[in-house]
């Protein structure tokens, strides 16, 4: 999970629900949604509504209990002006249990990370050999859980189902899912589709062909935490969409460029410059609100790792430090709004975003990527769209 540095704005215009539509919504609402009690299904035009009908009907099936045994589905915030096409679909499933023999973090019951709040923010831990070994183990398990969860990703499933898969994989590894009840977060991972910047709550929304989805996994095992996330393409339509490819692959590359700088003596402020320079080159924007963080026996200890240029982060990398780098990029304006659940963070203009994260260990000679993917990991890069005469082209399709 990313760490917050600032407060985002709180107002936005209502956007058309059509997939990849950037227009403001008009008064046109889906009549089927109104009949079954779903509010907020606004479109910019009749043509856009017809174009998106086949995908939009999956929402009707969800609300009517015809998909994955979901009954009584509803939008919990019917009067909220959402900025993009994503809507929450409640009810949330019950909180998933973690067996008592598994070691729990202090917030498992009360929901408050008290020790973390008492930390000296200028003191950065240096792990000894035992601590480094513990971090390697928990990060190995976290990678396994992410890969297991991502392997289930496809159009037609819900993000709540992915939460169930993640939770089960954590338990099977004698691990506690770190997000669960952290500051009262209700689920075991964060699922952030399309315009959702981060900290999306898994619910009953059906994933559509053409969505992109970030899976943010964190584990607590043997007294140590691991944290990683990746953004994935949902179905073939997403892999054929130049904008989705550009934001996902640019974000992946930004993380790689930042990791290349990690070695003893590198100032923490240097990562942001590398990230923002590459993001601007690819016509993307860095969401500055969220940053990387230290991680070890605490979930979010110092240091704070900004992802934007000209930051004033204090400190340099030293052997034995463990921290995350986790840039978030958007295709539009790098400003966000909170949904009324006080967790879900979405772009103010409804444009898509992507994020990638690794937990890193600074070594004597450079860096060890503790959460690195392996040859069997789902996902992975795909070619960036080629630009021919000002037009982006992917697999025979084009977008001006």
């Amino acid at each position: 999970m990313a760490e917050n540095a600032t407060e985002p704005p709180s107002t936005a215009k209502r956007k058309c629900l059509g997939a990849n539509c950037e227009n403001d919504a008009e008064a046109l609402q889906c009549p089927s949604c109104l009949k079954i009690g779903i509010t907020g299904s606004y479109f910019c035009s009749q043509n856009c509504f017809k174009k998106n009908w086949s995908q939009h009907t999956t929402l009707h099936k969800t609300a009517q209990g015809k998909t994955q045994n979901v009954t009584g589905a509803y939008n919990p915030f019917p009067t909220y002006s959402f900025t993009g096409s994503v809507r929450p679909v409640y009810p949330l499933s019950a909180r998933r249990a973690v067996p008592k023999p598994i070691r729990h973090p202090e917030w498992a019951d009360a929901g408050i990370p008290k020790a973390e709040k008492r930390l000296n923010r200028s003191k950065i831990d240096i792990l000894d050999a035992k601590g480094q070994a513990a971090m390697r183990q928990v990060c190995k398990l976290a990678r396994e859980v992410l890969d297991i969860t991502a392997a289930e990703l496809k159009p037609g499933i819900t993000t709540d189902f992915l939460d169930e898969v993640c939770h089960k994989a954590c338990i099977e590894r004698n691990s506690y899912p770190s997000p669960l009840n952290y500051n009262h977060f209700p689920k075991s991972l964060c699922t952030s589709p399309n315009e959702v910047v981060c900290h999306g709550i898994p619910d009953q929304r059906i994933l559509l062909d053409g969505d992109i989805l970030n899976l943010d996994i964190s584990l607590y095992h043997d007294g140590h935490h691991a944290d990683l996330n990746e953004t994935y393409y949902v179905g073939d339509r997403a892999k054929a969409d130049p904008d989705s490819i550009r934001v996902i692959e640019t974000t992946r590359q930004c993380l790689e460029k930042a990791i290349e700088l990690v070695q003893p003596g590198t100032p923490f402020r240097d990562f942001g410059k590398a990230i923002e320079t590459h993001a601007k080159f690819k016509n993307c924007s860095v969401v500055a609100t969220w940053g990387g963080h230290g991680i070890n026996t605490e979930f979010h200890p110092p240091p704070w790792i900004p992802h934007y240029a000209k930051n004033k982060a204090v400190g340099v990398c030293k052997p034995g430090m463990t921290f995350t780098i986790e840039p978030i990029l958007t295709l539009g304006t790098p400003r966000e709004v909170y949904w009324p659940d006080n967790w879900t963070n979405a772009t103010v203009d409804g444009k898509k975003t992507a994020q990638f994260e690794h937990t890193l260990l600074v070594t004597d000679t450079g860096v060890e990527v503790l959460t690195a993917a392996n040859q069997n990991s789902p996902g992975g890069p795909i070619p960036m769209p080629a630009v021919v005469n000002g037009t982006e082209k992917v697999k025979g399709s084009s977008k001006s």
Side-chain angles (χ1 to χ4, degrees):
M1 300 177 79
E3 192 171 16
N4 189 356
T6 62
E7 284 295 321
S10 59
T11 59
K13 291 183 179 180
R14 184 166 55 209
K15 293 292 183 179
C16 176
L17 194 62
N20 301 319
C21 182
E22 299 175 1
N23 296 327
D24 291 337
E26 300 294 338
L28 174 65
Q29 292 192 66
C30 171
S32 296
C33 284
L34 292 175
K35 288 179 181 178
I36 59 180
I38 299 176
T39 59
S41 295
Y42 290 90
F43 291 83
C44 64
S45 67
Q46 188 71 33
N47 286 338
C48 190
F49 175 58
K50 291 179 179 179
K51 178 181 177 182
N52 286 275
W53 175 251
S54 61
Q55 290 195 57
H56 181 68
T57 53
T58 60
L59 182 62
H60 305 154
K61 295 176 182 178
T62 300
Q64 294 171 324
K66 296 180 180 179
T67 307
Q68 290 194 223
N69 298 317
V70 177
T71 58
Y74 63 95
N75 177 355
F77 314 118
T79 62
Y80 179 74
S81 294
F82 292 90
T83 61
S85 63
V86 178
R87 300 289 185 274
V89 182
Y90 279 39
L92 297 182
S93 59
R95 176 175 166 178
R96 305 188 198 283
V98 179
K100 289 296 183 182
I102 293 177
R103 186 169 177 176
H104 289 43
E106 65 171 342
W107 57 81
D109 294 323
I112 305 299
K114 296 179 181 179
E116 188 174 289
K117 294 180 181 295
R118 294 193 297 265
L119 290 175
N120 180 343
R121 306 311 295 184
S122 63
K123 184 180 182 298
I124 302 173
D125 291 330
I126 304 294
L127 301 186
D128 58 17
K130 182 178 180 181
Q132 293 178 30
M135 286 299 294
R136 289 188 181 94
Q137 176 62 14
V138 68
C139 287
K140 174 180 177 293
L141 297 177
R143 166 51 66 178
E144 291 175 1
V145 172
L146 176 61
D147 287 353
I148 289 169
T149 307
E152 299 294 331
L153 192 58
K154 61 183 178 180
I157 65 169
T158 66
T159 50
D160 183 70
F161 171 70
L162 295 173
D163 182 74
E164 180 182 3
V165 172
C166 169
H167 188 89
K168 180 180 178 182
C170 290
I171 301 308
E172 290 174 345
R173 286 156 180 77
N174 198 37
S175 301
Y176 184 100
S178 301
L180 185 61
N181 211 34
Y182 179 81
N183 287 317
H184 304 292
F185 187 79
K187 294 297 176 181
S188 297
L189 85 161
C190 301
T191 53
S192 302
N194 300 339
E195 74 272 11
V196 176
V197 174
C198 59
H199 303 157
I201 298 174
D203 62 11
Q204 311 301 341
R205 178 183 180 271
I206 299 290
L207 292 175
L208 305 177
D209 187 0
D211 285 341
I212 63 175
L213 182 71
N214 180 270
L215 299 176
D216 193 345
I217 302 283
S218 308
L219 258 69
Y220 183 62
H221 179 86
D222 194 24
H224 291 73
H225 295 273
D227 201 2
L228 78 160
N229 73 62
E230 294 190 13
T231 303
Y232 299 88
Y233 302 94
V234 181
D236 292 336
R237 286 187 63 180
K239 294 178 181 178
D241 176 46
D243 284 342
S244 294
I245 296 171
R246 176 160 56 89
V247 72
I248 289 178
E249 299 307 329
T250 301
T251 310
R252 192 195 311 270
Q253 293 166 2
C254 283
L255 175 57
E256 293 170 350
K257 288 182 178 297
I259 291 174
E260 290 174 358
L261 299 178
V262 180
Q263 62 179 3
T266 299
F268 298 136
R269 64 177 178 270
D270 285 5
F271 305 132
K273 180 180 179 180
I275 290 168
E276 187 166 339
T277 298
H278 188 65
K280 287 185 174 179
F281 178 71
K282 295 292 187 178
N283 199 26
C284 294
S285 302
V286 175
V287 179
T289 304
W290 306 98
H293 53 87
I295 186 165
N296 42 62
T297 56
E298 299 293 344
F299 196 5
H300 295 96
W304 160 254
I305 308 292
H307 298 137
Y308 54 93
K310 297 181 181 180
N311 68 79
K312 298 180 180 180
V314 176
V316 300
C317 296
K318 296 180 181 180
M321 288 182 175
T322 47
F323 56 81
T324 72
I325 300 179
E326 44 186 301
I328 305 174
L329 269 57
T330 177
L331 293 170
T333 303
R335 295 170 55 235
E336 322 96 80
V337 293
Y338 278 101
W339 284 6
D341 61 25
N342 294 320
W343 275 106
T344 307
N345 198 252
T347 54
V348 72
D349 55 10
K351 296 291 184 66
K352 288 183 176 179
T353 75
Q355 182 182 23
F356 285 84
E357 174 186 21
H358 277 307
T359 295
L360 310 169
L361 167 65
V362 183
T363 67
D364 291 332
T365 58
V367 62
E368 184 177 343
V369 182
L370 299 178
T371 49
N374 58 64
Q375 61 181 4
N376 297 318
S377 295
I382 66 175
M384 292 279 273
V387 178
V388 181
N389 296 326
T391 300
E392 292 180 322
K393 295 186 176 181
V394 182
K395 296 181 179 180
S397 65
S398 65
K399 182 174 182 178
S400 299

